[in-house]
Structure formats: C-alpha cells, structure tokens
Amino acid sequence: MFSFFSMIDADLITDRLALRPWAPGEVAAALEGARPVHWAEDFPAEGDRVIVGLFAEHPAWLGQYGHRQIIERDSGLVVGSIGLFWPPGDGVLEIGYGIVPSRQGRGYAPEATRALTEYAFTAPGVRTVYANVELPNPSSIRVLEKAGFQQAGTDPERNTVRYCATPPAQR
C-alpha cells in the first residue's frame, strides 16, 4: 500500500520529503517566536502559528495521525506543515497543509498531501479525507487535484469548495 513512501520511526518519507511529528520543543519555539536553525527562513507561516496555538486545546492533533512538519530531505529544512484534524467524525477526517512561500511551486504540497492521505487510510475506520478550500484559492485547489482528491460540492455562503479522497477500494 505504501508504494510511494515508507515509514521510519513515525516519519513518513516520500521521494523528496519527510513528514515528521512536531516535537515539544518545536511547538514551544513556534509559540515563542524562536527560530531553530533547521527551519526555512520563512517558517512558520501564519497558518502554522495558528495551528500550533490550538495544540493545547486539541492534543490528539499531535498524535500518530495528527500534525507534522514538512521537511525538505535535500536541505533538512522544515518548509511547511500538514495535518489531520483528529479524531475522525463518522469515518471522515479533515486535512490541512501549507508550504512556505520560498518553497512553493515545487510540488511539495501535493506530494505531502498524497502521503498523509494514504497514511490516514491505515487508521481504523477512516474512509474519507477531505479539505475545504476557498474558491479564490486556485493554488490549493490544484494541490488537491494533483493529490488525487475529487470535488465533492460547494458552499456558496462560505465561498468554498470541498474536495474528498477515498481509499482505492472505494473509488
């Protein structure tokens, strides 16, 4: 099942990336505005800081199927974050992701999204992974499409579109 990545000590490894769970010291650094040397110069982005700020309220997000840093394997730098908003509700799980501006346009977001989505399907009872995207964000829509997600509906009131992925056996 893990045709394009392997798992080593809780890291998900793809061709170019490592998806590593947040360490407590990294959470503290992000909250305090510290700059560890293994972070890209523009990490964390605002969205990363928001998510890290919610970890205390949602400790399950730091579990096995939770949030991870996206590490560029060639440089060893953290260039973004990706996460599953655990636990699933009725077999459905939300994913969110972000790559810092200095590393955008390299295909990292779809690569990380494919890997974490496939990993999500190894969790008991998870049958759908979804993301809601604002319609004026075509870059994020392209990420999901490249990661194999399918459009599942729109919410005109919120100006969003939902994209979903299911395990290969359900497609």
Side-chain angles (χ1 to χ4, degrees):
M1 179 177 211
F2 298 106
S3 57
F4 61 90
F5 68 88
S6 63
M7 193 170 117
I8 301 171
D9 295 331
D11 286 358
L12 300 179
I13 307 297
T14 69
D15 288 340
R16 301 177 300 156
L17 305 171
L19 308 181
R20 180 169 299 144
W22 284 81
E26 294 167 325
V27 172
L31 290 171
E32 297 165 3
R35 302 268 327 121
V37 296
H38 65 283
W39 288 1
E41 64 279 356
D42 48 351
F43 184 84
E46 181 58 32
D48 301 310
R49 284 190 282 278
V50 169
I51 293 297
V52 169
L54 294 171
F55 286 164
E57 294 173 40
H58 304 278
W61 290 1
L62 288 171
Q64 176 181 359
Y65 293 100
H67 286 260
R68 295 166 180 265
Q69 294 177 343
I70 300 172
I71 300 163
E72 188 177 58
R73 289 179 58 198
D74 284 346
S75 70
L77 295 175
V78 177
V79 299
S81 67
I82 188 165
L84 298 167
F85 296 93
W86 197 260
D90 196 27
V92 179
L93 189 57
E94 184 177 5
I95 191 168
Y97 49 84
I99 302 292
V100 294
S102 67
R103 298 306 199 283
Q104 290 176 356
R106 299 178 187 198
Y108 290 167
E111 185 174 330
T113 300
R114 277 191 305 273
L116 193 58
T117 299
E118 187 169 327
Y119 183 63
F121 293 134
T122 68
V126 174
R127 56 181 170 68
T128 303
V129 176
Y130 77 92
N132 291 324
V133 181
E134 293 177 352
L135 286 169
N137 189 350
S139 297
S140 195
I141 290 170
R142 280 193 303 278
V143 164
L144 293 167
E145 290 172 344
K146 288 178 181 180
F149 282 60
Q150 302 293 317
Q151 185 174 341
T154 59
D155 184 341
E157 284 184 26
R158 293 192 172 134
N159 200 29
T160 60
V161 61
R162 177 170 285 200
Y163 277 79
C164 293
T166 56
Q170 293 183 15
R171 291 184 191 143

